[in-house]
Every structure is written in C-alpha cells, then in structure tokens.
Amino acid sequence: VPNITVDQFKGCLLAALLGDCIGALFEGKQEVPMEDLDDLFQDLVNEESTLDQLVPLEYTDDTAMLKSVAESLIRNKCFKATDMANMFVSEYFESPGRGYGQSVVDVFAKLKKVSDPFQPAREQFSGSGSYGNGGAMRIAPAALFAHQNTQHMLDIAAQATKITHTNRLGVHGALLQALAVQKALLADKRKPIDSKTFLTELKKEMKSIEKDLDKDEDESYTNKLDKIRHLLNDSKTSVKDVVRALGHGIAAHESVPTALYVFLRSLQPIPGIECDNPVSRTIQYAIALGGDTDTIATMAGAIAGAYHGLEHIDRVLLGRVEGKEYIEDLAVRLFDAVEKS
Ligand code: 8NA
Ligand code: MG
Ligand code: MG
Ligand code: MG
C-alpha cells in the first residue's frame, strides 16, 4: 500500500487552484498562441518580473465550488447532500461574479426554496440535466477524501455532482476525473507512469460505469480513453489534433478526457514549452489548447498535483494567485479528515 502524504493533497489542490486562476485569463479563447503563452509563463515564474500589477489572479467558479465540496466533507466526515448544496448556494450568493456556467445559477436559486437538494438539477434542460463540466471541475477533494475505497469514492463523486449535474455525461465525466486523481495519487512514485497501463486501468473502471451504454455509442468515455492512447502514441500530435479528437469545450465529455490527456502528455517535455516543472507544464499545455482553459487546466492540474506533489508546485507562480494560503490549509484539513473518517 503506497504511503500517501499531505504534500500530495496540497499538490493536488494547489495545482487545481493554479490551473483555474491562470487559465481564467484565457477562458473562451479559441486559440492561444504558444509563443505568447510561453512568454507569459516565463514572466509568471520570474521573481523579478514586473507583472505585479496583474496579481493576484482571481479564482473562478471551479475553485469556489471545490472549496464547498472539501469543506462539506471535512465538516461532516462523510457526504451530506443538503449541507453541500447549502455550501454551493451560500458561496455563490456571497460571490456571484466568479464566472459560473449560464444555467447552473438557476439551480442555486431553486435550491434556496426546495427541500430535495437533487430536485433542481434534475429539472435542468427540460429534465435531461446538465452535461457541463461543472461536476468534474470541483471533484478532486472527493477523490482525495475517499481514495482508499474506489466504490465509496465513486458514490460520493456521483452524489456531489448530481446536486447540479444529472446528465449521464456530466456525472460520468466527474467519475472519470475522480478516478484519474485517485490513480495519480496512488501511483508508484519510484518509477515513471506507464500511460498505457494507466489508461487501460481507467478503461476497465469506465466500462463498468458505462455498462448500460450502447456498444458503439460515440460519446462514451471508454471510447475517449482509446482516443487518448492513440494521440499519445503519435509524437507529432499538435494542439489542433488534440482539440479535434477530444475537444476543449464546457461539456464534460469535451473537456475531462482532454484534461487527462494533458496530464499524461505533460509527463514529458513538450515542444514550445520552455518550463521544465511538470506541474507548471501541465497547466501551460492545458491553456495552450484554448476553449474552457480554466476548467481544463484546473482538472489537469489536480491530477498532476496529486501525482507530483507539493515539491513540484512553483512557489513564485503560486505567489501570483488568490487563495493559496486558504487552499493549502484546506488540503491539510482534508488529509486529517481522511484519517478520522
Ligand atoms: P452549466 O450547468 O450551466 O453548463 C454550462 C453550459 O453547457 C450551459 O449553459 C449550456 O450551454 C450547456 N449545456 C449543459 N447541459 C446541456 C444540455 N443538457 N443541453 C444543452 N446544453 C447544455 O455550468 P457548469 O457548472 O457545468 O459550468 C461549465 C463551464 O461554464 C465552466 O467552464 C465554467 O467555468 C463556466 N464558464 C465557461 C466559460 C467559457 O467560455 N468556456 C465562460 C464562463 C463560464
Ligand atoms: Mg471557471
Ligand atoms: Mg468560468
Ligand atoms: Mg471554465
């Protein structure tokens, strides 16, 4: 059994924070020029740079909701739907300007009035539920909290997602993200990650989660995992290839597999990215893909941070973002809650 450390919890949540805050500078841009982005990152990691007027970079909905997931699990030592829903609602109404999805705000308004915390989410999109990536973007604390028991983790992750997202694609996207964070956390650090094995094991889990799906359903996460493997096999894979094959949008199925690909690709150097810190590289590459940059960078960051740990969080980069002390303390309290749960 691997020895999981509090520094991995810190790495996970701090890298998620970095991805959100830096990614938010580019959210919605269809293309992000590699060279400009590399110049920005060189500046951001340079203590002497004159970027001070730009900082602190503010976090968005991704981190705001992640905070609530973590705080609710810490306080209750288990998942409590009403409590987590209340946390989402009060966080949103205290700070509504953090770039929430267009439709999820209707859920928050309705949650104030109903007693069933799952009802408003079920009513979204004429009853089909949201397939946005808002469930997956905030799920890392649930993966850390329940990493010792996969079934328990998947159960908590599904429930935590269904407070706002009930569409199969939204829920299963959060489950894939949780599994990826758990796997990165538990990976043997004495040898490099074998991407093929990593993906094969995730595919086994997702096959079982998607067992009721039509075999040739194109939008299955099982199929996406095969696409990730193909892209990793080709050393000439470009930003455009990745976006074409996996997407970079606000839908869970067009961003969660993308984030996983970004993590695995960023284990090695990437042409056009100067920085050799693997966590910073992960975040930079996620942003280079454009689209929902904050959310893809936060998800890729969470996986990378759980694997690489606090020692690979660039302190200068971290100095530029809002909420770093709070998130580091949150990681400590989440780690303590695991030991007591
Ligand atoms: P959400 O649940 O409001 O979903 C986001 C959007 O996805 C909706 O507004 C719809 O346009 C679309 N959508 C989701 N489900 C369906 C469906 N069943 N049928 C048709 N359309 C659907 O919000 P969320 O919490 O999932 O957030 C997702 C993303 O939006 C996050 O990146 C978040 O940061 C936010 N956001 C994104 C951008 C951007 O430009 N990429 C900008 C601001 C906010
Ligand atoms: Mg956001
Ligand atoms: Mg946003
Ligand atoms: Mg986003």
Side-chain angles (χ1 to χ4, degrees):
V1 177
N3 198 14
I4 302 309
T5 66
V6 68
D7 278 1
Q8 286 180 274
F9 276 45
K10 288 182 181 181
C12 175
L13 299 190
L14 289 172
L17 175 70
L18 283 171
D20 180 18
C21 294
I22 305 170
L25 295 169
F26 298 89
E27 189 174 30
K29 283 205 165 49
Q30 286 311 294
E31 285 181 36
V32 179
M34 245 343 193
E35 275 182 45
D36 298 355
L37 186 63
D38 204 51
D39 289 346
L40 173 67
F41 266 77
Q42 293 305 311
D43 261 351
L44 286 171
V45 299
N46 175 6
E47 228 158 345
E48 256 90 72
S49 85
T50 53
L51 279 170
D52 295 341
Q53 61 272 37
L54 201 125
V55 298
L57 301 173
E58 288 181 354
Y59 63 75
T60 76
D61 56 330
D62 308 67
T63 302
M65 296 196 82
L66 176 145
K67 279 167 45 182
S68 295
V69 170
E71 291 288 5
S72 182
L73 292 171
I74 291 166
R75 177 162 59 209
N76 298 295
K77 308 276 184 291
C78 66
F79 174 75
K80 286 257 188 333
T82 303
D83 183 66
M84 198 176 282
N86 287 342
M87 303 265 326
F88 289 152
V89 169
S90 51
E91 170 67 41
Y92 171 70
F93 284 100
E94 261 168 47
S95 193
R98 292 207 185 258
Y100 284 85
Q102 272 174 11
S103 313
V104 73
V105 297
D106 301 340
V107 175
F108 300 141
K110 285 187 186 175
L111 277 171
K112 278 185 149 180
K113 299 177 194 142
V114 298
S115 57
D116 175 1
F118 299 107
Q119 185 194 323
R122 279 196 302 263
E123 293 172 356
Q124 292 292 89
F125 300 96
S126 317
S128 61
S130 176
Y131 52 60
N133 53 23
M137 74 186 182
R138 65 179 187 239
I139 212 61
L144 298 179
F145 178 75
H147 72 270
Q148 293 159 331
N149 180 335
T150 303
Q151 204 44 56
H152 187 216
M153 179 189 77
L154 292 173
D155 190 42
I156 292 179
Q159 302 282 324
T161 299
K162 286 178 183 171
I163 298 171
T164 51
H165 294 66
T166 61
N167 189 283
R168 168 187 75 79
L169 291 164
V171 177
H172 291 179
L175 298 186
L176 175 57
Q177 172 66 10
L179 285 164
V181 170
Q182 180 203 33
K183 211 159 206 15
L185 186 75
L186 297 174
D188 186 347
K189 306 300 179 300
R190 292 165 304 183
K191 54 180 192 211
I193 282 190
D194 175 30
S195 293
K196 209 176 148 198
T197 311
F198 197 93
L199 290 168
T200 304
E201 290 173 8
L202 284 178
K203 190 173 162 184
K204 202 173 143 219
E205 298 281 355
M206 290 314 292
K207 251 192 179 158
S208 140
I209 289 166
E210 292 183 323
K211 61 182 182 302
D212 296 332
L213 276 194
D214 202 334
K215 281 273 175 294
D216 39 43
E217 162 80 54
D218 192 44
E219 292 300 4
S220 82
Y221 288 99
T222 311
N223 286 347
K224 303 272 183 189
L225 290 166
D226 285 334
K227 289 188 183 178
I228 295 174
R229 186 164 45 80
H230 288 135
L231 290 169
L232 287 169
N233 280 342
D234 184 354
S235 61
K236 289 193 210 68
T237 298
S238 69
V239 161
K240 280 204 169 78
D241 296 331
V242 179
V243 175
R244 203 180 304 122
L246 298 175
H248 64 184
I250 57 176
H253 53 292
E254 290 168 355
S255 51
V256 178
T258 313
L260 175 57
Y261 170 80
V262 166
F263 162 65
L264 293 170
R265 173 85 188 267
S266 304
L267 291 168
Q268 272 90 45
I270 297 172
I273 298 183
E274 218 173 301
C275 167
D276 64 0
N277 173 315
V279 173
S280 307
R281 177 162 62 231
T282 301
I283 291 165
Q284 187 177 333
Y285 183 59
I287 296 170
L289 300 180
D292 195 358
T293 47
D294 66 332
T295 302
I296 296 173
T298 207
M299 295 191 292
I303 307 169
Y307 178 69
H308 298 290
L310 183 66
E311 65 174 304
H312 288 105
I313 300 291
D314 186 302
R315 282 282 151 185
V316 180
L317 198 58
L318 194 62
R320 305 203 179 270
V321 303
E322 175 194 11
K324 53 197 171 291
E325 294 90 1
Y326 169 81
I327 293 293
E328 188 160 352
D329 176 64
L330 189 67
V332 174
R333 291 186 289 119
L334 189 62
F335 189 80
D336 291 344
V338 174
E339 304 211 308
K340 287 176 194 134
S341 70

